[in-house]
Amino acid sequence: MYHPVKTFLLPCLLILFCCVSCNQNNHQDLSPSKKKYSMYILGKDGKEYLLETDSLNSGLVRPEDKGALLDGDIMDRDIIVHQGYYYHLSRKKASFEKYKLNGSKLILLAAMPLKDFSIENCNWISNDTLLLTGLNKSDYTQVKYISVNTAKMQQTAAGDINIARPSGKFTSVSIGFVELRKDKMLLGYTYNEQLSSSNYSTSDTTYVAAIKYPEMQLIKTDKDTRSTSPGGTNTIQSYSFNDEQGNYYFMSCPGIALGNRPELPTGIFRINAGQETIDKSYFFDISGSVIQNHAYGIWYLGNHKAIIRSERKDLFKGLSDHYSTAHFEFYVLDLLKKEIKKLDLPLDKGTRRECVIVKDNLAYIAVNSTLNGNYIWIYNMSNGTLKKGLQLAGDTDFILREDQLN
């Protein structure tokens, strides 16, 4: 039976519901985090957490109390942290996503489709422009790029980069670094050989391609055989930097945990300011120095000093316990004098980690110590002293990364 009151009320209620829903969406807090630092924690039971803090100098934090418990199916440690937001490629959904941390919850703010793409490196071109370089997921043989407007979460450019595909015994390519210099892009890479379903090795050559930017046209390719596996995935660990004069340094990583050519030395290369090829007169042989081991990760301190994180091959059996055994040491390098000084820190565990923040003449070094606990150690570059800072306790097993939020 027709009822004029009910017929009138139903559309009104629907309109009201839509207005309330739209109003809630419009008032969702999209602002970035105001905190200063974030940490990605792997717990003792395999749980993963993301937490934020304003200080690394002191105190104690338990991730299960202060952090957001993460869904391991959609989140991983290879997040990109920038100006209060978190960006991550969800492989399961083939989606590039933008998040913020709101107390104990990680909030998805926006997403864009990103299919057949595996991120190897990222570079911020401007505050809202992110250049992603990577490979096709089908067989990891084609170098690709995507430029993203992160304010709108929209793709602004994409395509293939004409790097020679692997051939012969080599089955894939890996990108180790990307450096932008005005209208040029320098891309470091090498080729990989699949030895078995779970093992691979690497070419004995480091390649550096000079590419016209933003046209992404290959100009020339430089080669160097003093070491291989230049850099690595910089969303997991840092491998390169510019000094005050604009000289670009990058580390090679031929150890068993990356290039798997351990007979070659871990070394530091340099590309001089204004140049597009490797400086053949410069090579800092880390493995041939007093360290006599391979290293993974390098962080610039300023004034031609840097910190590296080096393995101790006498303390682990192989790749099976490389991650779980505390055997890493930290060293300060003088890049010009090629001098090395060991830092008096506990042995660290975890193969690849983003574990150094440099700020205000201090280096905040995250150390996962089996015997002494998980702490942020503070290295004073002025006087060379070390002291304990923030402790990560409770469920913390590994501090996988620490980042500056703002």
Side-chain angles (χ1 to χ4, degrees):
M1 181 178 179
Y2 176 77
H3 197 299
V5 175
K6 289 183 178 179
T7 305
F8 174 76
L9 285 175
L10 183 58
C12 289
L13 289 171
L14 289 172
I15 292 171
L16 179 62
F17 175 78
C18 290
C19 289
V20 171
S21 298
C22 292
N23 190 54
Q24 288 175 341
N25 288 335
N26 289 337
H27 284 82
Q28 183 181 13
D29 184 9
L30 303 178
S31 62
S33 172
K34 301 299 189 294
K35 296 287 186 179
K36 294 180 180 179
Y37 308 100
S38 72
M39 279 172 283
Y40 198 108
I41 305 297
L42 175 62
K44 296 172 184 175
D45 54 3
K47 293 180 180 178
E48 297 182 10
Y49 304 88
L50 190 63
L51 61 88
E52 297 179 345
T53 182
D54 278 324
S55 176
L56 301 176
N57 293 301
S58 61
L60 182 148
V61 174
R62 296 179 178 87
E64 63 270 32
D65 296 336
K66 298 294 185 180
L69 181 62
L70 303 175
D71 183 344
D73 289 336
I74 63 172
M75 186 55 61
D76 202 349
R77 62 173 172 158
D78 57 344
I79 54 174
I80 301 168
V81 183
H82 184 68
Q83 295 190 340
Y85 296 111
Y86 303 89
Y87 302 86
H88 185 257
L89 173 59
S90 171
R91 297 165 183 83
K92 187 175 182 179
K93 296 185 289 183
S95 173
F96 188 63
E97 300 174 341
K98 180 178 182 177
Y99 294 87
K100 67 170 291 186
L101 196 59
N102 186 5
S104 62
K105 294 190 179 298
L106 189 64
I107 309 299
L108 176 63
L109 300 179
M112 55 171 272
L114 190 50
K115 297 180 180 179
D116 192 29
F117 193 84
S118 175
I119 298 174
E120 296 271 292
N121 268 242
C122 71
N123 296 73
W124 288 96
I125 310 302
S126 66
N127 285 340
D128 294 325
T129 303
L130 175 63
L131 176 66
L132 301 174
T133 47
L135 305 169
N136 63 323
K137 283 183 64 179
S138 55
D139 60 9
Y140 303 101
T141 63
Q142 176 63 61
V143 178
K144 304 166 71 74
Y145 75 95
I146 293 176
S147 182
V148 179
N149 180 318
T150 56
K152 300 178 180 179
M153 284 301 283
Q154 294 177 353
Q155 175 181 301
T156 57
D160 297 338
I161 300 177
N162 190 27
I163 301 298
R165 291 201 180 203
S167 60
K169 65 180 182 179
F170 299 112
T171 53
S172 63
V173 62
S174 59
I175 302 170
F177 67 82
V178 173
E179 164 69 356
L180 292 170
R181 291 187 167 181
K182 295 183 180 178
D183 61 343
K184 302 289 192 309
M185 183 173 83
L186 305 180
L187 189 148
Y189 64 100
T190 193
Y191 296 103
N192 305 314
E193 176 188 1
Q194 196 71 34
L195 301 176
S196 68
S197 60
S198 60
N199 194 21
Y200 71 92
S201 186
T202 303
S203 161
D204 63 358
T205 304
T206 285
Y207 298 86
V208 177
I211 298 163
K212 188 176 181 182
Y213 179 82
E215 293 84 354
M216 296 299 187
Q217 297 171 353
L218 180 63
I219 301 171
K220 61 184 176 182
T221 303
D222 188 26
K223 301 178 182 180
D224 200 304
T225 57
R226 290 177 291 180
S227 185
T228 189
S229 193
T233 304
N234 72 347
T235 58
I236 294 179
Q237 192 173 50
S238 296
Y239 302 93
S240 60
F241 55 85
N242 281 285
D243 69 10
E244 292 83 351
Q245 289 73 42
N247 302 309
Y248 185 72
Y249 291 83
F250 66 89
M251 172 185 279
S252 65
C253 298
I256 62 169
L258 270 179
N260 200 21
R261 289 295 300 269
E263 75 277 12
L264 297 175
T266 291
I268 299 172
F269 293 84
R270 182 173 67 196
I271 302 175
N272 293 321
Q275 301 298 309
E276 299 165 4
T277 56
I278 295 171
D279 180 356
K280 299 301 190 290
S281 69
Y282 181 89
F283 184 70
F284 195 160
D285 185 344
I286 300 302
S287 300
S289 67
V290 294
I291 295 178
Q292 294 292 311
N293 283 288
H294 288 290
Y296 310 87
I298 185 167
W299 296 267
Y300 191 50
L301 299 176
N303 296 317
H304 305 107
K305 303 291 197 307
I307 286 179
I308 64 168
R309 189 169 175 266
S310 176
E311 67 187 15
R312 281 273 303 273
K313 60 187 176 185
D314 58 314
L315 297 179
F316 65 90
K317 298 176 182 178
L319 197 55
S320 61
D321 68 334
H322 198 270
Y323 190 82
S324 58
T325 300
H327 66 90
F328 283 96
E329 298 175 328
F330 292 88
Y331 293 83
V332 173
L333 311 182
D334 186 313
L335 298 164
L336 299 185
K337 297 179 181 178
K338 297 183 181 178
E339 295 176 348
I340 298 175
K341 176 187 175 183
K342 183 179 177 298
L343 291 178
D344 187 17
L345 290 168
L347 290 172
D348 187 25
K349 65 179 182 178
T351 296
R352 290 183 295 159
R353 300 192 300 114
E354 188 58 32
C355 55
V356 178
I357 290 176
V358 180
K359 187 176 182 181
D360 300 330
N361 211 39
L362 300 173
Y364 296 90
I365 307 169
V367 178
N368 303 318
S369 171
T370 303
L371 299 177
N372 300 291
N374 302 294
Y375 282 88
I376 306 298
W377 285 78
I378 305 169
Y379 171 63
N380 188 313
M381 291 178 268
S382 297
N383 56 29
T385 58
L386 282 161
K387 67 176 183 179
K388 286 182 179 179
L390 179 68
Q391 181 181 7
L392 280 300
D395 195 33
T396 303
D397 197 7
F398 292 84
I399 307 168
L400 293 182
R401 64 180 305 128
E402 56 172 347
D403 294 275
Q404 293 193 67
L405 275 165
N406 296 296

